[in-house]
Amino acid sequence: MNKPDYKIHIVGAGLSGLIAARVLENKGYRPVILESSEKVGGRIRTDEVDGFHLDRGFQVMLSEYPKVKQYIDLESLDLKELVPGAMIFEKGKSSKIGDPSRQPSLLGPSAFSGIASLSDMWKILRLSLELKRTSLNEIFEEKEVSTLEYLQHKGFSEKVISKFFKPFFSGIFLESELRTSSRMFRFVFKMFAEGRAVIPRKGIGEITRSLASELKHTKIHFNSPVERVTDSRIFLKSGKEIESHFSIIASEAAPLISNLRKQGTKWKSCHCFYFTASNQAIEGRMIGLIADDNSLVNNIFYHSSLNEDHKGDYLISVTVVKDTDLDETEMEEKLRSELKEYCGIETERLIKHYIIKKALPDLQSLQYEIMPTETRLSNRIFLAGDQLLNGSQNAAILSGERAALGLIETLEGGAVTAELTSEYL
Ligand SMILES: Cc1cc2nc3c(=O)[nH]c(=O)nc-3n(C[C@H](O)[C@H](O)[C@H](O)COP(=O)(O)OP(=O)(O)OC[C@H]3O[C@@H](n4cnc5c(N)ncnc54)[C@H](O)[C@@H]3O)c2cc1C
């Protein structure tokens, strides 16, 4: 059979599915993506509402992720860089803290913030230098403890942990206790220290939109939720059956494969509210954090700062990572009052509230790598998605690439893999 004649299906048009399609296309195959929703992107999507670009949850791309550098044409994306630091709001006061090795102008404010002592600043600098010398594979082979234990063990003060690390990394890990593995902390810290945190001017969804537009020999079927996958057939929820020679499940596999049903992924969730605001409490593209254990708001970001020509009301996203029993109206009220009390932000219109139930996989042990053969569930079904490794864009890209390589290896044999492997690993 010629390569284009193989019926290869990918379930899911998120980052991992799009990358799997790209790798297959590059090797001469013509995959078909089955996507349950009406658009590409999965968790990396942006909606346009009343002229505002709303990301489905505040998220940044780290330019130093190895797989981002390999697959994403950053130059074409009209990227806006965030300031490498944060504005911390506490009891009506605000102070800036950041990495002075990246932005020297933050040295003064950080040192005098009252949040990080000089010893904390020195430890942050030393940690950056240490991580620059440590490879990602080494980081993911280290003993895992919780991030909180790791920071305490490193000797950071209680104050800098509770006022900076906790709110900052809670917003990244989407949990407020810092129980996430120290491997993830060191991975993300290294990426922040070595690269830039960026968002495209028109929102994070530009990344997946542009990846999809580059696919030339892949068909994408939208509104096509898959119910079950077997070695030779795909069953859609609509009742339709499709013949498939090979499948890549680039979404959670457990619901789709009968003998995996009990091995579902645990997920961390979050809420993201978008408000317009009449004033700007943070200048420039800087994340705002509320450093109070009792606050519901974790972080805020002025999305209007991504657009230099912005006029009129400001647009802010407000991320909540804590579990809460409040209903939507009660949450909205509490967020508005916290934004006013802690940050002096006068919110106007609520534009949108996203509840993201499956935001990040809640994994016990985190990995960086997966070999192509390890993505193989059966001779004809391969798995991809960040839940295989760690909750990051890098993991999603890497897993999509490896699943495609695993499939190609099955079809073309070991000699090809050796060649492919040296090209990709
Ligand atoms: C709020 C938030 C903030 C984040 N912040 C960051 C960050 O700052 N940095 C970072 O690196 N990562 C971040 N992430 C994680 C990052 O977005 C994910 O790691 C990545 O998008 C996962 O891609 P994926 O392809 O594995 O999964 P997904 O994006 O979830 O894609 C799966 C796709 O499969 C589709 N699908 C599911 N089931 C079916 C079915 N039965 N049939 C057909 N289609 C199906 C879905 O609709 C979806 O399009 C964040 C995530 C969230 C939600």
Side-chain angles (χ1 to χ4, degrees), residues 12 14-16 35-36 42-44 59-60 65 226 385-386 392-393:
L15 191 50
S16 62
E35 166 57 44
S36 57
R43 279 170 272 162
I44 305 187
Q59 98 169 266
V60 298
Y65 279 146
V226 171
D386 65 347
S392 69
Q393 296 146 2

Side-chain angles (χ1 to χ4, degrees), residues 11-18 34-37 39-45 56-62 65 171-172 174 224-227 237 250-252 256 267 270 272 319 356 358-361 384-387 390-396 399:
V11 181
L15 191 50
S16 62
L18 294 171
L34 302 167
E35 166 57 44
S36 57
S37 73
K39 248 174 112 173
V40 300
R43 279 170 272 162
I44 305 187
R45 264 184 74 167
R56 293 197 169 193
F58 170 62
Q59 98 169 266
V60 298
M61 173 156 272
L62 298 178
Y65 279 146
I172 294 172
L174 303 182
S224 304
V226 171
E227 187 164 75
K237 287 205 172 139
S251 62
E252 207 185 343
L256 309 183
W267 292 91
C270 68
C272 183
T319 304
I356 305 155
K358 295 186 175 183
L360 286 179
D386 65 347
Q387 71 281 355
N390 62 75
S392 69
Q393 296 146 2
N394 192 72
S399 68

Side-chain angles (χ1 to χ4, degrees), residues 41-65:
R43 279 170 272 162
I44 305 187
R45 264 184 74 167
T46 302
D47 296 322
E48 209 171 325
V49 177
D50 296 349
F52 294 113
H53 294 114
L54 311 182
D55 295 344
R56 293 197 169 193
F58 170 62
Q59 98 169 266
V60 298
M61 173 156 272
L62 298 178
S63 65
E64 201 53 31
Y65 279 146

